[in-house]
Amino acid sequence: MKKLLGKLGLFLLPVLLYFGVFIAFEPYNYFGLQTNNYTAQDQLIYRVRAFDAEPQNALILGDSRMAHFDLSLVEEVTGRKFSTLAFGGAGQKEVIDLFWHAIDRNPEIDTVYLEVSFYILNKKYDRDRIGNIEIVTENPLAFLCNFNYHLEALNRLKMTLEGQYLGPENETAVYTGADYTAADGRTFPYRRQLLQYLHNVYPNLSEDADGLPVPLTRDLTDDELFQLYDFLTSPARASSSCYEVNETQLVRLEEVADYCQEKNIRLVFVLPPMAEPMRRLVCEPLGIDQAMLPVLQRLAATGAEVRDFEWTNPPNFSEDLFFDGFHIDTQRGLPLYTRLLFGEEP
């Protein structure tokens, strides 16, 4: 028996060593054993587990534009603690699914800031991952057996061995004249990084890409950036929009509002701001601003609060306060926006 157990131990040793490496490098700090994984707290798996373990009665929901708030500053402004289940890349269905997940875990929730934006309410941008996330967050075995998480852990190990930066992303930058100037001396109408961002986002909003510089796997050259600007300002594009509001999710938002009204939950629909080039060069030519007007009317008709920084009440933020077309600079712009959004908390 001892020999059998010894052989079994030798057989299992490589497996145990491998899972030890996996636990040390998986990107979500699922078991809470990592001490230097600063990016895990931005991941949805981590946030769902943190909420389920210690839910607050005030909640933030949305995509990456709602995910980067400094919760200590939010607490300073509002006088209360918030939980966040916002995460990068969220679709409107996932935001709503997370609302119901939160209500199921904490029926005492009394305040919800929930993002509704043209980008995540886009019918083309319809994602459905929360059911799988719930399974993984509640079942460690499901997490351990997920092949994709093993690939992510091995990639993180590789990056560690190569000395690559694994710290938290900080979406902040200071721009100079070089960011607005081509190599031949021509001046870009907006900084090149902003134009590049519009190029990457545009295909998600319109299928008419005739004339759009095609490489999405690399940064555009200077000539391609000027070609992009000519494309975005072409009068012919006004008829090229295929943008469509996701009616199914809009109805579900109305159902969320009805529930909150019934349960006396303060619901704040938040339409986050965007950089002016996104509005002028993408949204208005494609008629997205007009498509969103009925949405605003229906949201207001629910009786919930609507904080619309996207269309009717954009903040007077200069271009450099935005890190890109959607995301506010985390150091110079986000504290201003935090106070603007949460400063009217009763």
Side-chain angles (χ1 to χ4, degrees), residues 87-99:
F87 71 101
Q92 195 72 71
K93 181 183 187 306
E94 295 173 318
V95 171
I96 299 168
D97 288 348
L98 284 169
F99 168 83

Side-chain angles (χ1 to χ4, degrees), residues 87-219:
F87 71 101
Q92 195 72 71
K93 181 183 187 306
E94 295 173 318
V95 171
I96 299 168
D97 288 348
L98 284 169
F99 168 83
W100 293 114
H101 172 94
I103 290 296
D104 181 61
R105 299 306 189 274
N106 179 20
E108 303 302 316
I109 285 176
D110 58 39
T111 301
V112 177
Y113 283 73
L114 188 153
E115 178 188 346
V116 182
S117 76
F118 80 90
Y119 193 76
I120 67 174
L121 195 57
N122 179 6
K123 191 173 182 179
K124 290 176 61 177
Y125 195 73
D126 197 21
R127 300 185 172 190
D128 185 8
R129 295 166 289 184
I130 304 307
N132 181 65
I133 291 292
E134 288 179 325
I135 293 172
V136 169
T137 56
E138 295 172 2
N139 186 343
L141 185 60
F143 179 78
L144 288 170
C145 294
N146 188 296
F147 179 71
N148 290 328
Y149 300 151
H150 286 265
L151 291 180
E152 292 175 10
L154 292 174
N155 183 60
R156 194 161 177 267
L157 171 61
K158 174 177 176 290
M159 294 173 65
T160 300
L161 295 175
E162 293 175 350
Q164 297 187 42
Y165 176 70
L166 294 175
E169 293 185 18
N170 198 8
E171 295 183 337
T172 185
V174 176
Y175 303 101
T176 66
D179 297 290
Y180 294 84
T181 308
D184 60 7
R186 288 178 293 172
T187 301
F188 296 118
Y190 299 99
R191 67 178 188 264
R192 56 164 44 89
Q193 181 247 25
L194 256 179
L195 291 170
Q196 177 71 48
Y197 190 81
L198 302 187
H199 173 263
N200 295 344
V201 168
Y202 187 87
N204 295 328
L205 301 172
S206 177
E207 293 178 351
D208 185 355
D210 186 21
L212 180 74
V214 293
L216 293 173
T217 57
R218 61 167 173 80
D219 289 345

Side-chain angles (χ1 to χ4, degrees), residues 230-344:
D230 291 341
F231 169 78
L232 293 176
T233 55
S234 169
R237 278 196 319 111
S239 61
S240 67
S241 176
C242 65
Y243 181 84
E244 186 178 354
V245 169
N246 191 325
E247 176 65 24
T248 299
Q249 301 312 318
L250 182 53
V251 170
R252 293 184 71 212
L253 288 169
E254 293 171 324
E255 292 170 352
V256 167
D258 289 343
Y259 176 87
C260 289
Q261 188 173 56
E262 177 187 344
K263 299 297 183 180
N264 199 30
I265 297 172
R266 182 185 180 222
L267 173 64
V268 183
F269 288 128
V270 180
L271 286 79
M274 58 183 145
E276 186 268 343
M278 178 68 72
R279 175 195 304 277
R280 189 175 80 81
L281 299 183
V282 177
C283 295
E284 291 177 356
L286 293 179
I288 296 173
D289 53 341
Q290 296 301 311
M292 287 296 292
L293 288 179
V295 174
L296 289 170
Q297 294 169 356
R298 287 174 61 174
L299 293 178
T302 66
E305 298 177 49
V306 180
R307 306 296 305 279
D308 175 26
F309 302 109
E310 196 170 64
W311 307 108
T312 62
N313 190 34
N316 187 25
F317 287 173
S318 59
E319 177 191 315
D320 66 322
L321 290 183
F322 286 88
F323 180 74
D324 54 36
F326 280 143
H327 302 92
I328 297 176
D329 185 287
T330 52
Q331 288 189 11
R332 294 178 295 112
L334 194 57
L336 297 175
Y337 178 54
T338 302
R339 296 184 184 278
L340 178 65
L341 175 58
F342 294 97
E344 295 185 10

